[in-house]
Amino acid sequence: MQIGILGGGQLGRMLALAGYPLGLRFRTLDLSSEAPAGQVSELMAADFNDTDALKRFARGLDVVTYEFENVPVDPARFLSRRVAVFPPPEALEAAQDRLTEKRFFERLGIPTPPFIAVDSWDDLKNALNDTGLPAVLKTRRFGYDGKGQVVIRKTEDVSAAWQSLGGVPLILEGFVAFEREVSMLAVRSRNGETAFYPLVENHHHEGILRLSLCPAPGATSELQGEAEELASRALAALNYTGVLAIEFFQRDGHLLANEMAPRVHNSGHWTIEGAEVSQFENHLRAILGWPLGSTAPVGFSAMLNLIGTIPDLRSLLAMKNLHLHLYGKAPRPNRKLGHLTLRVPSAEARDTGLAHLRQLIGQSE
Ligand code: AMP
């Protein structure tokens, strides 16, 4: 069986690495001939809108998936007329635009922060009357890792925010003073079987995910049930196949959906060592219509992203419960170069291990 992946980043690379033990082969399509998945799969470098390249890409593939959500929808639709494409392109479409996405959640009764579409300076002033301050102004499309968004704290910040983002369709959200951020990784197979990983607690800095803890400290079975129920609505509405990640703000003990990603997700990297079957393998099983593997956690995990620089590997590797993943990318500021997963038998061991690890890599929070 050969699987096609649109996008050749680290997620594609980890999908391929999870698939080889199952006897699968991979072809990835990326703009860059240097894409990290190219080191472990047959890489085609081409534009996603090049239909001749898409035809060559699709030849002989059993199923096509994607590994980042800014793959344009039209090529996904074009491919879906030749070969099965999962998750459905509709999910891609819903997740690419923050306004469509929030309206999708709203339609399903999934709570979100308050939000209003903003297309002009007047819209922004009116919207701020509704949300009050602080508020978060975001571009509707192509935002990731905190890019394309500004927090407006004071009236004096409004015109600077408009100047930095105005001119493209925007969304204004009420600022949520959340207790914490958590994410749910749900998976649904072609045959309708679903499974859910335990809730993950996520810590961002400057809009980039730094740390994920799973199981999320103190997450009750009620909170897990709430997340599963909300995710189930999204899976059903999209007739979804594959892994779907939903990021939530937890406030007053309940969940507000911030965004979803129709793909494997950074907050699920811990599953490689920390769950019975990883998000990557389960995504592949799902898109192939195979039975899903267990999502049960194996111990307590902490996943730290390596961003911008790679620390001294010898001291990291000397930590006995630590698992190192490097993506084969050249260091560059704010670039995700790899991650570390600490997997230990107890929450206490996770706290001590994490403190030691942070010292080693010189990270304070
Ligand atoms: P996003 O790109 O929408 O995931 O936003 C990146 C990060 O900004 C989130 O993980 C939050 O930490 C923060 N953020 C985004 N939207 C809001 C909001 N409405 N209220 C408070 N914080 C937010």
Side-chain angles (χ1 to χ4, degrees):
M1 295 269 237
Q2 189 161 21
I3 311 231
I5 306 175
L6 299 176
Q10 63 266 20
L11 299 176
R13 179 183 166 105
M14 287 185 271
L15 277 170
L17 291 174
Y20 288 121
L22 301 172
L24 303 172
R25 287 177 306 125
F26 295 86
R27 182 182 300 153
T28 45
L29 182 69
D30 197 280
L31 270 180
S32 164
S33 55
E34 303 291 308
Q39 295 165 9
V40 298
S41 70
E42 178 192 330
L43 172 67
M44 261 182 72
D47 192 288
F48 290 125
N49 293 306
D50 175 346
T51 46
D52 286 332
L54 289 177
K55 283 182 199 160
R56 272 184 281 126
F57 174 71
R59 209 168 291 149
L61 295 180
D62 293 284
V63 54
V64 168
T65 189
Y66 23 83
E67 62 93 73
F68 80 121
E69 71 265 30
N70 287 330
V71 169
V73 177
D74 286 344
R77 290 229 161 85
F78 178 85
L79 285 168
S80 70
R81 292 193 283 273
R82 291 180 157 68
V83 52
V85 175
F86 295 115
E90 294 68 46
L92 198 58
E93 198 162 35
Q96 278 179 355
D97 180 325
R98 291 184 193 276
L99 183 66
T100 317
E101 181 179 57
K102 291 262 162 33
R103 285 184 176 150
F104 168 77
F105 288 141
E106 187 176 54
R107 204 168 59 243
L108 300 179
I110 299 175
T112 65
F115 64 92
I116 306 167
V118 168
D119 292 315
S120 66
W121 170 244
D122 285 342
D123 282 357
L124 177 58
K125 284 189 294 186
N126 292 333
L128 280 164
N129 282 336
D130 289 346
T131 59
L133 290 173
V136 190
L137 187 64
K138 303 180 178 180
T139 57
R140 280 172 55 177
R141 298 176 67 84
F142 305 119
Y144 68 100
D145 284 350
K147 293 195 174 64
Q149 62 175 281
V150 188
V151 179
I152 305 177
R153 297 191 186 276
K154 314 183 289 295
T155 319
E156 300 89 277
D157 298 342
V158 181
S159 82
W162 174 254
Q163 262 157 31
S164 71
L165 297 181
V168 294
L170 302 172
I171 178 174
L172 184 76
E173 293 178 14
F175 184 89
V176 180
F178 49 75
E179 286 130 28
R180 62 171 169 178
E181 296 186 77
V182 294
S183 58
M184 162 53 63
L185 296 151
V187 53
R188 184 170 183 270
S189 175
R190 259 163 109 153
N191 57 25
E193 183 189 358
T194 56
F196 304 90
Y197 287 94
L199 275 172
V200 185
E201 179 179 303
N202 298 315
H203 296 259
H204 295 83
H205 181 63
E206 291 171 349
I208 305 180
L209 181 70
R210 307 283 154 155
L211 168 70
S212 292
L213 299 173
C214 195
T220 58
S221 55
E222 285 76 24
L223 195 70
Q224 176 74 21
E226 183 175 323
E228 290 185 11
E229 200 273 317
L230 297 176
S232 299
R233 290 188 212 172
L235 292 176
L238 293 163
N239 193 18
Y240 196 84
T241 296
V243 166
L244 176 72
I246 308 187
E247 294 183 76
F248 293 101
F249 300 139
Q250 183 181 331
R251 191 187 57 187
D252 302 331
H254 289 285
L255 301 174
L256 301 175
N258 174 34
E259 62 178 357
M260 65 177 179
R263 53 166 172 79
V264 286
H265 193 256
N266 195 173
S267 68
H269 290 1
W270 65 273
T271 60
I272 299 175
E273 292 87 12
E276 191 66 39
V277 172
S278 77
Q279 63 162 347
F280 300 100
E281 180 174 334
N282 262 334
H283 182 76
L284 297 170
R285 291 182 185 220
I287 64 175
L288 290 165
W290 293 354
L292 299 177
S294 166
T295 50
V298 180
F300 290 74
S301 298
M303 188 284 313
L304 270 173
N305 274 332
L306 296 174
I307 296 165
T309 53
I310 297 173
D312 174 50
L313 296 184
R314 292 191 70 84
S315 53
L316 292 176
L317 292 168
M319 274 185 82
K320 298 299 176 205
N321 296 315
L322 192 68
H323 303 271
L324 170 70
H325 295 258
L326 294 177
Y327 307 146
K329 291 158 85 172
R332 203 193 291 155
N334 287 337
R335 199 174 198 204
K336 289 176 181 168
L337 303 175
H339 73 265
L340 299 164
T341 298
L342 180 74
R343 189 199 59 202
V344 287
S346 68
E348 296 71 36
R350 182 169 66 185
D351 291 345
T352 22
L354 191 55
H356 179 61
L357 182 54
R358 280 180 152 155
Q359 257 178 354
L360 281 183
I361 65 175
Q363 216 183 69
S364 53
E365 66 173 278

